[in-house]
Amino acid sequence: MHIKPGAIWSRYGIWYLSILLAFAVVAVVYVWRAGRAERHLVEAEQLLARGDYAALPDWLALPEATPATRDRALLIRARMALARGKPDEAVGPLDAIDGDGPRAVDAWFWKGRTLLAVGQPLRAAGWFRSVVDRRPDDADAHRWLAAASYDLGDHKTSLVELREVTRLDPDDPRAWRTMALLLKEDDDLEPARSAYEQALHLDPAQPPVRLELAEVLTTQGQYDEAERQLGLCSGKVPEGDRLEILARCYRARGDREKLRSLIDRASARQPNHPGLLHQAAQAEADEGRTAEAIALLDRVIVLDPYRSAAIYQRGLMRKASGDAEGAALDLARSSELKATLAEMSRLNDEAAANPEDAGLRVKIAGLCERLGKDEMAAFWYRAALASDPENLGAKSGLAALEGR
């Protein structure tokens, strides 16, 4: 039988094409299956962003079972646990991530977030510091290290980290505002003013920031700009606090007419605001009405027994009016409060250098209580517990405050 050469080639050609087609099908199936895990991962990320947690675990099953996507899927599972307010459920996935793999540093970051969520800022700070050491341009790592440091009472480190945040992410108004608050607490007024102004430049709709800026401007003697800021936040912040700063502006400029008008209006609307009453007392003293000033200061000190400036001023007036005994009591009490404040400031600096010293933080909390600053005392007791969860002084001090 004679077979034509073309037929042989045709038969081999079909066989060859069949093999190519089979390989192509296998390749397509392989690519599709490999891409399926990636597609599930993308969908899971979108569900996490939308807060659709019910459907999310189903989309994570395949990526977690696929080596190429496993660590990324575990990170999403941990982030979901934190977003749901269940940080304990984030621990397992984070611990399962390859410590030598490309997602290891991401896992460190989320371990820090998890520890911060369960009230362990000291351990959290260690993880965040590891992240910034490896990735110095990671603004989020600096941001969260600042938060952990703040919770520990280490405001110096917090300020350093916030400066890094504003350098790396200069369009974050919250970072600028927080930095301004810390600078204001340190009486570093010019940088505080600049930080407040940048925060408002980025987000003008921040009335409390305008109030804080106005206080800084008034202390700096920039009364016109302070008044402008106070006008812009009128009706959007506590009115007594706003009027107190405005009264300080009027008094500093010697504008007695405006000051008297403001005090008369405020006495009806804010009769028990210690700051406004103190401004009224100073106005009376400026006009030589000592008895009226003392009476107003009496009211101030009843409302705020820890206002050292008012106690000191009343002591001087009592001395001038012949009340030597009352003057001595006031001046001694004022000196005691000032000394306590100075000691607290000194210990604050010491605490920044010793983030693991719980006893030091308990001491600061006690000083805060002696100054009538209960909220600040609670902060320092919590900072002590962050360093030592079993510290009895911090536990009892915090319990006493919460029971008041």
Side-chain angles (χ1 to χ4, degrees), residues 297 300-316 318 324-342 366-374:
L297 288 170
V300 172
I301 295 165
V302 168
L303 291 166
D304 182 0
Y306 303 95
R307 189 175 283 254
S308 175
I311 296 170
Y312 179 75
Q313 188 176 7
R314 188 177 70 174
L316 293 180
R318 280 177 164 179
E325 184 178 353
L329 289 172
D330 278 347
L331 295 175
R333 175 60 174 158
S334 175
S335 294
E336 178 190 346
L337 289 171
K338 288 178 181 177
T340 302
L341 188 61
L367 293 174
C368 290
E369 289 195 72
R370 285 166 56 186
L371 291 167
K373 301 178 182 293
D374 286 355

Short mmCIF file of all heavy atoms in Angstrom, two decimals, residues 297 300-316 318 324-342 366-374:
data_model
loop_
_atom_site.label_atom_id
_atom_site.label_comp_id
_atom_site.label_asym_id
_atom_site.label_seq_id
_atom_site.Cartn_x
_atom_site.Cartn_y
_atom_site.Cartn_z
N LEU A 297 -12.27 85.99 94.19
CA LEU A 297 -11.26 84.94 94.32
C LEU A 297 -11.72 83.85 95.28
O LEU A 297 -11.39 82.67 95.09
CB LEU A 297 -9.93 85.54 94.79
CG LEU A 297 -9.20 86.39 93.74
CD1 LEU A 297 -8.03 87.13 94.37
CD2 LEU A 297 -8.71 85.52 92.59
N VAL A 300 -13.67 81.61 93.16
CA VAL A 300 -12.79 80.84 92.27
C VAL A 300 -12.19 79.65 93.00
O VAL A 300 -12.19 78.51 92.50
CB VAL A 300 -11.65 81.73 91.71
CG1 VAL A 300 -10.64 80.88 90.95
CG2 VAL A 300 -12.21 82.83 90.82
N ILE A 301 -11.69 79.89 94.21
CA ILE A 301 -10.97 78.85 94.95
C ILE A 301 -11.92 77.77 95.46
O ILE A 301 -11.54 76.61 95.57
CB ILE A 301 -10.14 79.49 96.07
CG1 ILE A 301 -9.04 80.38 95.45
CG2 ILE A 301 -9.51 78.44 96.98
CD1 ILE A 301 -8.39 81.34 96.41
N VAL A 302 -13.17 78.14 95.74
CA VAL A 302 -14.16 77.12 96.10
C VAL A 302 -14.40 76.20 94.91
O VAL A 302 -14.48 74.97 95.04
CB VAL A 302 -15.48 77.77 96.56
CG1 VAL A 302 -16.60 76.73 96.63
CG2 VAL A 302 -15.29 78.44 97.92
N LEU A 303 -14.51 76.79 93.70
CA LEU A 303 -14.76 76.01 92.49
C LEU A 303 -13.54 75.22 92.05
O LEU A 303 -13.65 74.12 91.52
CB LEU A 303 -15.21 76.95 91.35
CG LEU A 303 -16.59 77.60 91.51
CD1 LEU A 303 -16.75 78.74 90.52
CD2 LEU A 303 -17.69 76.56 91.32
N ASP A 304 -12.35 75.81 92.26
CA ASP A 304 -11.10 75.15 91.85
C ASP A 304 -10.06 75.35 92.95
O ASP A 304 -9.28 76.30 92.92
CB ASP A 304 -10.61 75.76 90.53
CG ASP A 304 -9.35 75.08 90.01
OD1 ASP A 304 -8.85 74.14 90.67
OD2 ASP A 304 -8.85 75.47 88.94
N PRO A 305 -10.04 74.44 93.94
CA PRO A 305 -9.14 74.62 95.10
C PRO A 305 -7.66 74.48 94.75
O PRO A 305 -6.81 74.72 95.63
CB PRO A 305 -9.56 73.47 96.03
CG PRO A 305 -10.87 72.98 95.53
CD PRO A 305 -10.88 73.25 94.07
N TYR A 306 -7.35 74.12 93.52
CA TYR A 306 -5.95 73.89 93.14
C TYR A 306 -5.41 74.98 92.21
O TYR A 306 -4.32 74.83 91.66
CB TYR A 306 -5.81 72.53 92.46
CG TYR A 306 -6.31 71.40 93.32
CD1 TYR A 306 -7.62 70.93 93.18
CD2 TYR A 306 -5.50 70.81 94.29
CE1 TYR A 306 -8.10 69.89 93.97
CE2 TYR A 306 -5.97 69.78 95.09
CZ TYR A 306 -7.27 69.33 94.93
OH TYR A 306 -7.74 68.31 95.72
N ARG A 307 -6.15 76.05 92.04
CA ARG A 307 -5.70 77.13 91.13
C ARG A 307 -4.69 77.99 91.87
O ARG A 307 -5.02 78.96 92.57
CB ARG A 307 -6.90 77.95 90.66
CG ARG A 307 -6.58 78.95 89.57
CD ARG A 307 -7.84 79.64 89.07
NE ARG A 307 -8.59 78.81 88.19
CZ ARG A 307 -8.67 78.96 86.86
NH1 ARG A 307 -7.99 79.93 86.28
NH2 ARG A 307 -9.41 78.15 86.15
N SER A 308 -3.43 77.64 91.66
CA SER A 308 -2.35 78.27 92.43
C SER A 308 -2.29 79.78 92.23
O SER A 308 -2.07 80.53 93.19
CB SER A 308 -1.01 77.63 92.02
OG SER A 308 0.07 78.28 92.63
N ALA A 309 -2.48 80.23 90.99
CA ALA A 309 -2.38 81.68 90.72
C ALA A 309 -3.43 82.45 91.50
O ALA A 309 -3.15 83.56 92.02
CB ALA A 309 -2.52 81.93 89.22
N ALA A 310 -4.66 81.90 91.60
CA ALA A 310 -5.72 82.59 92.33
C ALA A 310 -5.42 82.61 93.83
O ALA A 310 -5.65 83.62 94.52
CB ALA A 310 -7.06 81.92 92.06
N ILE A 311 -4.92 81.50 94.34
CA ILE A 311 -4.59 81.43 95.77
C ILE A 311 -3.47 82.43 96.10
O ILE A 311 -3.53 83.15 97.12
CB ILE A 311 -4.18 79.99 96.15
CG1 ILE A 311 -5.37 79.04 95.95
CG2 ILE A 311 -3.67 79.93 97.59
CD1 ILE A 311 -5.01 77.56 96.06
N TYR A 312 -2.46 82.48 95.24
CA TYR A 312 -1.34 83.41 95.46
C TYR A 312 -1.84 84.86 95.40
O TYR A 312 -1.47 85.68 96.27
CB TYR A 312 -0.29 83.18 94.39
CG TYR A 312 0.90 84.10 94.49
CD1 TYR A 312 1.87 83.92 95.49
CD2 TYR A 312 1.05 85.17 93.60
CE1 TYR A 312 2.97 84.77 95.58
CE2 TYR A 312 2.15 86.02 93.68
CZ TYR A 312 3.10 85.82 94.69
OH TYR A 312 4.17 86.67 94.78
N GLN A 313 -2.68 85.17 94.44
CA GLN A 313 -3.19 86.54 94.31
C GLN A 313 -4.02 86.92 95.53
O GLN A 313 -3.91 88.04 96.05
CB GLN A 313 -4.02 86.66 93.03
CG GLN A 313 -4.44 88.08 92.71
CD GLN A 313 -5.17 88.16 91.37
OE1 GLN A 313 -5.48 87.15 90.77
NE2 GLN A 313 -5.45 89.38 90.94
N ARG A 314 -4.87 85.99 96.00
CA ARG A 314 -5.67 86.30 97.19
C ARG A 314 -4.77 86.50 98.41
O ARG A 314 -5.04 87.38 99.25
CB ARG A 314 -6.67 85.18 97.45
CG ARG A 314 -7.67 85.54 98.55
CD ARG A 314 -8.70 84.45 98.76
NE ARG A 314 -8.13 83.24 99.37
CZ ARG A 314 -8.84 82.18 99.75
NH1 ARG A 314 -10.17 82.19 99.56
NH2 ARG A 314 -8.27 81.13 100.29
N GLY A 315 -3.68 85.72 98.48
CA GLY A 315 -2.75 85.90 99.60
C GLY A 315 -2.14 87.28 99.62
O GLY A 315 -2.04 87.92 100.68
N LEU A 316 -1.74 87.78 98.45
CA LEU A 316 -1.16 89.13 98.38
C LEU A 316 -2.19 90.19 98.78
O LEU A 316 -1.85 91.16 99.49
CB LEU A 316 -0.65 89.39 96.97
CG LEU A 316 0.55 88.56 96.50
CD1 LEU A 316 0.93 88.94 95.07
CD2 LEU A 316 1.76 88.75 97.43
N ARG A 318 -4.87 89.74 100.68
CA ARG A 318 -5.15 89.65 102.12
C ARG A 318 -4.04 90.32 102.93
O ARG A 318 -4.31 91.00 103.93
CB ARG A 318 -5.25 88.17 102.51
CG ARG A 318 -6.60 87.53 102.20
CD ARG A 318 -6.61 86.05 102.56
NE ARG A 318 -7.95 85.52 102.63
CZ ARG A 318 -8.26 84.25 102.91
NH1 ARG A 318 -7.27 83.38 103.12
NH2 ARG A 318 -9.51 83.85 102.97
N ALA A 324 -3.11 89.13 107.98
CA ALA A 324 -1.81 88.45 107.95
C ALA A 324 -1.97 86.94 108.02
O ALA A 324 -1.25 86.19 107.33
CB ALA A 324 -0.94 88.96 109.10
N GLU A 325 -2.88 86.45 108.86
CA GLU A 325 -3.05 85.01 109.02
C GLU A 325 -3.56 84.36 107.73
O GLU A 325 -3.04 83.35 107.27
CB GLU A 325 -4.02 84.72 110.17
CG GLU A 325 -4.17 83.24 110.46
CD GLU A 325 -5.09 82.98 111.63
OE1 GLU A 325 -5.50 83.94 112.30
OE2 GLU A 325 -5.41 81.79 111.87
N GLY A 326 -4.60 84.97 107.15
CA GLY A 326 -5.15 84.45 105.90
C GLY A 326 -4.13 84.50 104.78
O GLY A 326 -4.03 83.58 103.97
N ALA A 327 -3.36 85.59 104.75
CA ALA A 327 -2.33 85.74 103.72
C ALA A 327 -1.29 84.65 103.84
O ALA A 327 -0.86 84.05 102.84
CB ALA A 327 -1.69 87.12 103.83
N ALA A 328 -0.86 84.36 105.06
CA ALA A 328 0.17 83.34 105.27
C ALA A 328 -0.32 81.96 104.81
O ALA A 328 0.43 81.20 104.18
CB ALA A 328 0.55 83.29 106.75
N LEU A 329 -1.57 81.65 105.10
CA LEU A 329 -2.14 80.37 104.67
C LEU A 329 -2.17 80.26 103.15
O LEU A 329 -1.80 79.23 102.58
CB LEU A 329 -3.55 80.20 105.24
CG LEU A 329 -3.64 79.96 106.76
CD1 LEU A 329 -5.10 80.00 107.21
CD2 LEU A 329 -3.00 78.62 107.13
N ASP A 330 -2.62 81.34 102.52
CA ASP A 330 -2.71 81.32 101.05
C ASP A 330 -1.34 81.20 100.40
O ASP A 330 -1.14 80.42 99.46
CB ASP A 330 -3.40 82.60 100.54
CG ASP A 330 -4.91 82.51 100.62
OD1 ASP A 330 -5.44 81.40 100.84
OD2 ASP A 330 -5.57 83.55 100.46
N LEU A 331 -0.38 81.98 100.90
CA LEU A 331 0.95 81.97 100.28
C LEU A 331 1.64 80.63 100.49
O LEU A 331 2.36 80.14 99.61
CB LEU A 331 1.78 83.12 100.83
CG LEU A 331 1.26 84.53 100.45
CD1 LEU A 331 2.08 85.61 101.15
CD2 LEU A 331 1.27 84.73 98.95
N ALA A 332 1.40 80.02 101.66
CA ALA A 332 1.99 78.71 101.91
C ALA A 332 1.36 77.66 101.00
O ALA A 332 2.07 76.79 100.45
CB ALA A 332 1.80 78.32 103.37
N ARG A 333 0.04 77.73 100.84
CA ARG A 333 -0.64 76.78 99.96
C ARG A 333 -0.21 76.95 98.52
O ARG A 333 0.04 75.97 97.79
CB ARG A 333 -2.16 76.99 100.08
CG ARG A 333 -3.01 76.15 99.14
CD ARG A 333 -2.81 74.67 99.36
NE ARG A 333 -3.73 73.89 98.54
CZ ARG A 333 -3.54 72.63 98.19
NH1 ARG A 333 -2.44 71.99 98.59
NH2 ARG A 333 -4.43 71.99 97.47
N SER A 334 -0.05 78.18 98.07
CA SER A 334 0.41 78.45 96.71
C SER A 334 1.81 77.89 96.50
O SER A 334 2.09 77.27 95.46
CB SER A 334 0.39 79.95 96.44
OG SER A 334 0.93 80.24 95.18
N SER A 335 2.69 78.08 97.48
CA SER A 335 4.06 77.56 97.37
C SER A 335 4.06 76.04 97.30
O SER A 335 4.82 75.43 96.54
CB SER A 335 4.90 78.03 98.56
OG SER A 335 5.07 79.43 98.53
N GLU A 336 3.18 75.42 98.09
CA GLU A 336 3.08 73.96 98.08
C GLU A 336 2.65 73.44 96.70
O GLU A 336 3.22 72.48 96.17
CB GLU A 336 2.08 73.51 99.14
CG GLU A 336 1.87 72.00 99.18
CD GLU A 336 0.69 71.61 100.08
OE1 GLU A 336 0.23 72.46 100.86
OE2 GLU A 336 0.23 70.45 99.96
N LEU A 337 1.64 74.08 96.11
CA LEU A 337 1.16 73.66 94.81
C LEU A 337 2.23 73.86 93.73
O LEU A 337 2.42 73.01 92.86
CB LEU A 337 -0.11 74.43 94.44
CG LEU A 337 -1.37 74.08 95.24
CD1 LEU A 337 -2.49 75.06 94.93
CD2 LEU A 337 -1.81 72.65 94.95
N LYS A 338 2.94 74.98 93.81
CA LYS A 338 4.01 75.24 92.83
C LYS A 338 5.13 74.21 92.96
O LYS A 338 5.67 73.74 91.95
CB LYS A 338 4.56 76.65 93.01
CG LYS A 338 3.61 77.74 92.55
CD LYS A 338 4.20 79.13 92.80
CE LYS A 338 3.23 80.24 92.37
NZ LYS A 338 3.77 81.58 92.68
N ALA A 339 5.49 73.87 94.19
CA ALA A 339 6.55 72.88 94.40
C ALA A 339 6.11 71.51 93.88
O ALA A 339 6.91 70.77 93.29
CB ALA A 339 6.89 72.80 95.88
N THR A 340 4.85 71.17 94.10
CA THR A 340 4.33 69.89 93.60
C THR A 340 4.36 69.85 92.09
O THR A 340 4.74 68.84 91.47
CB THR A 340 2.89 69.66 94.10
OG1 THR A 340 2.88 69.69 95.54
CG2 THR A 340 2.35 68.32 93.63
N LEU A 341 3.98 70.96 91.47
CA LEU A 341 3.99 71.05 90.01
C LEU A 341 5.42 70.92 89.47
O LEU A 341 5.66 70.23 88.46
CB LEU A 341 3.37 72.37 89.55
CG LEU A 341 3.14 72.53 88.06
CD1 LEU A 341 2.18 71.47 87.53
CD2 LEU A 341 2.59 73.92 87.75
N ALA A 342 6.36 71.57 90.14
CA ALA A 342 7.76 71.48 89.70
C ALA A 342 8.29 70.06 89.84
O ALA A 342 9.02 69.57 88.98
CB ALA A 342 8.61 72.46 90.52
N GLY A 366 0.30 60.20 91.87
CA GLY A 366 -0.01 60.74 93.19
C GLY A 366 0.13 62.25 93.24
O GLY A 366 -0.68 62.95 93.86
N LEU A 367 1.16 62.78 92.57
CA LEU A 367 1.34 64.23 92.51
C LEU A 367 0.18 64.88 91.75
O LEU A 367 -0.28 65.96 92.12
CB LEU A 367 2.67 64.57 91.84
CG LEU A 367 3.94 64.17 92.61
CD1 LEU A 367 5.18 64.44 91.77
CD2 LEU A 367 4.02 64.94 93.93
N CYS A 368 -0.26 64.22 90.69
CA CYS A 368 -1.40 64.75 89.93
C CYS A 368 -2.64 64.85 90.81
O CYS A 368 -3.39 65.84 90.74
CB CYS A 368 -1.70 63.85 88.73
SG CYS A 368 -0.48 63.91 87.42
N GLU A 369 -2.84 63.83 91.66
CA GLU A 369 -3.99 63.88 92.57
C GLU A 369 -3.85 65.03 93.55
O GLU A 369 -4.84 65.71 93.88
CB GLU A 369 -4.11 62.55 93.31
CG GLU A 369 -4.58 61.39 92.45
CD GLU A 369 -5.02 60.20 93.27
OE1 GLU A 369 -6.11 60.29 93.88
OE2 GLU A 369 -4.30 59.20 93.30
N ARG A 370 -2.64 65.28 94.02
CA ARG A 370 -2.42 66.40 94.95
C ARG A 370 -2.67 67.75 94.28
O ARG A 370 -2.94 68.75 94.94
CB ARG A 370 -0.99 66.35 95.50
CG ARG A 370 -0.82 65.26 96.55
CD ARG A 370 0.64 64.98 96.86
NE ARG A 370 1.38 66.17 97.27
CZ ARG A 370 2.69 66.18 97.48
NH1 ARG A 370 3.40 65.06 97.32
NH2 ARG A 370 3.30 67.29 97.86
N LEU A 371 -2.61 67.77 92.94
CA LEU A 371 -2.88 69.00 92.19
C LEU A 371 -4.32 69.05 91.68
O LEU A 371 -4.69 69.97 90.96
CB LEU A 371 -1.93 69.10 91.00
CG LEU A 371 -0.45 69.35 91.35
CD1 LEU A 371 0.43 69.13 90.13
CD2 LEU A 371 -0.26 70.77 91.90
N GLY A 372 -5.11 68.04 92.05
CA GLY A 372 -6.50 68.03 91.62
C GLY A 372 -6.69 67.63 90.17
O GLY A 372 -7.75 67.85 89.59
N LYS A 373 -5.69 67.01 89.58
CA LYS A 373 -5.75 66.62 88.16
C LYS A 373 -6.06 65.12 88.08
O LYS A 373 -5.19 64.29 87.79
CB LYS A 373 -4.43 66.95 87.46
CG LYS A 373 -4.06 68.43 87.51
CD LYS A 373 -2.72 68.68 86.83
CE LYS A 373 -2.31 70.14 86.92
NZ LYS A 373 -3.19 71.02 86.14
N ASP A 374 -7.32 64.78 88.34
CA ASP A 374 -7.69 63.37 88.43
C ASP A 374 -7.56 62.65 87.09
O ASP A 374 -7.17 61.47 87.04
CB ASP A 374 -9.11 63.23 88.96
CG ASP A 374 -9.19 63.52 90.46
OD1 ASP A 374 -8.13 63.74 91.08
OD2 ASP A 374 -10.31 63.55 91.01
#
